[in-house]
Amino acid sequence: MSPYLLGLRLSGRRVLVVGGGRVAQRRVPALLDAGALVTIVSTSVTHALDDLIATGRVIWEARPYQVGDVDGAWLVQACTDDRAVNTAVAAEAEAKRIWCVRADDKDASAAWTPASGQVDEISVAVTAGGDPRRAAGIRDAVVGALRDGTVDARRNRTKPVGVALVGGGPGDPGLITVRGRQLLAQADVVIADRLAPQALLDELSPDVELIDAAKIPYGRYMAQEKINELLIEHAKQGKFVVRLKGGDPFVFGRGGEEMLACAREGIPVIVVPGITSPVAVPAAANVPVTHRGVSQEFHVISVHVPPGDARSTVDWPNLARSGGTLVLMMAVERIGTIAETLIHDGRSPETPVMVVQDGTLPTQRALYATLSTVAERVTAAGIRPPAIVIVGDVVKVGQEVEMVRAERVP
């Protein structure tokens, strides 16, 4: 017959574990996490259990099991490698109406220990007819789906409140963080940027309100003030709002402005960092932004205003002289001016440059150039935003990787 599943609340309750081997080593930490007062009865214990004993988290009776040990226990785990001992422990527990789990015989066991997992406040427990490997496989699949949001686990009685600023990563939907995907699955309202992973929006529940906050270069544009107003308006209505951005909220994402706007209205904010594209996109193109013996520094620069513009706060002469890797954002439309400025301020015209469009997406493409040729080549190739420009000798590392791989192809 199928077991009747319960969630035992063991906090402050005594649990007896008979045996100190590998089975006990796996089960004791979960019992401690549940708040149980664990006593081990065994002539020896593993090193991991010994560490728990040394820190006072577990009581160890260094002797064989004897009648009377189960007294006062709410739960007993018979985990020895001696079938006769496990049988005796289970028989005493049965006589005293104490639930006992036998590790060696599922059919003779009064209770089974499920394969369990935890995702936030959700506990998953799978028994699979007493087959531990099958149960663990199912547990892993369910826990993984809860973590990445592919299983709808939206809260009904309790839910997050306020606003979550979630970094969606560089474009590939698989590169959003686990925490980001969890919160996205809980959202009542999602306010999404143009560069947020669009595939994730298709997975939203039909009742989630989706607001397009795209800022298209030289095109349609939602003002930052309006975005702030929407965050505050919906949060004050008691809705949980996720502000989904590309990359990281605090790397040219104006997340700081949104956090301050919410703070001024007393709205709680959760910040979920994202994988930032100035590092991830070069990596996707096999270019490390730092490399031993080549570059021990890198600079990330937003070129939303060009060199020489009165609004620019970038020290271009210092960047040109630094010799470090330069990762340029929003630079494609101004690449000619940027290249001329860097050369004028001291960078060699032969400095390697890579331009990567649609980084981490299936449409990703890259071109190699030098500072003296990059403007012409970008125009000829029709490169358009979103694209990232990498300037420095680390680009040669990416080229070397490609050559090594090509040489190994049969």
Side-chain angles (χ1 to χ4, degrees):
M1 299 180 68
S2 299
Y4 183 81
L5 299 181
L6 285 175
L8 296 181
R9 303 180 68 183
L10 294 174
S11 181
R13 292 180 167 90
R14 181 174 181 265
V15 174
L16 174 69
V17 177
V18 182
R22 287 180 295 175
V23 175
Q25 179 179 308
R26 290 198 304 270
R27 296 189 178 178
V28 167
L31 293 169
L32 293 175
D33 287 344
L37 305 178
V38 177
T39 297
I40 296 176
V41 173
S42 179
T43 55
S44 62
V45 295
T46 66
H47 292 304
L49 290 173
D50 194 33
D51 184 59
L52 295 173
I53 294 162
T55 57
R57 299 187 64 193
V58 173
I59 297 172
W60 178 28
E61 300 286 344
R63 56 173 175 78
Y65 160 78
Q66 59 190 32
V67 175
D69 281 340
V70 304
D71 292 346
W74 292 74
L75 176 67
V76 175
Q77 296 266 357
C79 302
T80 76
D81 56 6
D82 187 323
R83 183 176 180 83
V85 173
N86 291 339
T87 299
V89 172
E92 183 186 0
E94 183 76 13
K96 295 178 178 178
R97 297 186 177 182
I98 300 170
W99 289 106
C100 178
V101 179
R102 283 189 63 166
D104 64 333
D105 190 337
K106 70 181 181 67
D107 295 320
S109 184
W112 295 336
T113 296
S116 60
Q118 189 83 20
V119 180
D120 292 333
E121 76 281 8
I122 300 173
S123 297
V124 175
V126 181
T127 58
D131 183 338
R133 290 192 176 183
R134 186 183 183 201
I138 297 170
R139 181 269 321 275
D140 291 344
V142 174
V143 167
L146 285 169
R147 283 179 175 161
D148 65 22
T150 54
V151 167
D152 185 4
R154 300 183 70 191
R155 294 174 174 86
N156 290 315
R157 294 186 179 181
T158 62
K159 64 178 182 178
V161 295
V163 170
L165 305 178
V166 175
D172 182 339
L175 294 177
I176 190 173
T177 64
V178 170
R179 180 63 169 157
R181 196 152 191 172
Q182 287 173 348
L183 292 178
L184 194 61
Q186 299 293 329
D188 298 308
V189 179
V190 174
I191 302 177
D193 274 353
R194 177 178 67 98
L195 297 180
Q198 298 302 302
L200 297 177
L201 303 179
D202 292 336
E203 300 174 3
L204 295 175
S205 177
D207 63 334
V208 175
E209 182 177 356
L210 177 60
I211 298 174
D212 182 1
K215 297 179 180 178
I216 300 174
Y218 314 107
R220 185 162 52 87
Y221 182 92
M222 180 180 283
Q224 186 61 50
E225 292 73 20
K226 179 60 177 178
I227 294 173
N228 295 350
E229 290 174 8
L230 289 170
L231 293 172
I232 293 165
E233 174 188 337
H234 287 288
K236 283 189 172 181
Q237 292 173 2
K239 299 175 182 177
F240 179 51
V241 185
V242 169
R243 176 73 170 105
L244 182 63
K245 299 170 173 288
D248 182 278
F250 287 177
V251 180
F252 304 126
R254 305 187 75 168
E257 297 175 44
E258 293 165 353
M259 183 172 61
L260 283 169
C262 291
R264 292 187 182 110
E265 297 294 327
I267 295 170
V269 175
I270 301 168
V271 178
V272 181
I275 298 175
T276 186
S277 55
V279 175
V281 170
N286 300 318
V287 175
V289 292
T290 63
H291 191 74
R292 188 166 56 125
V294 177
S295 176
Q296 61 183 24
E297 60 180 308
F298 70 98
H299 308 264
V300 181
I301 304 103
S302 169
V303 199
H304 62 283
V305 293
D309 191 296
R311 297 168 295 170
S312 177
T313 61
V314 178
D315 187 347
W316 289 100
N318 186 54
L319 290 175
R321 293 190 299 267
S322 72
T325 304
L326 306 183
V327 183
L328 309 176
M329 316 287 290
M330 295 173 277
V332 169
E333 299 291 337
R334 305 171 182 87
I335 191 62
T337 302
I338 294 165
E340 290 173 3
T341 299
L342 289 172
I343 293 170
H344 176 271
D345 290 331
R347 281 269 176 147
S348 168
E350 299 307 310
T351 302
V353 179
M354 174 185 269
V355 183
V356 185
Q357 178 180 316
D358 293 341
T360 76
L361 296 174
T363 52
Q364 174 179 311
R365 62 173 177 150
L367 68 80
Y368 292 102
T370 64
L371 276 179
S372 63
T373 64
V374 64
E376 179 183 350
R377 296 210 60 197
V378 163
T379 300
I383 297 290
R384 304 296 299 171
I388 285 179
V389 179
I390 308 127
V391 179
D393 287 339
V394 291
V395 171
K396 294 180 181 179
V397 178
Q399 292 175 306
E400 183 180 355
V401 169
E402 291 189 6
M403 287 189 294
V404 170
R405 287 177 174 171
E407 291 172 355
R408 294 181 64 85
V409 175

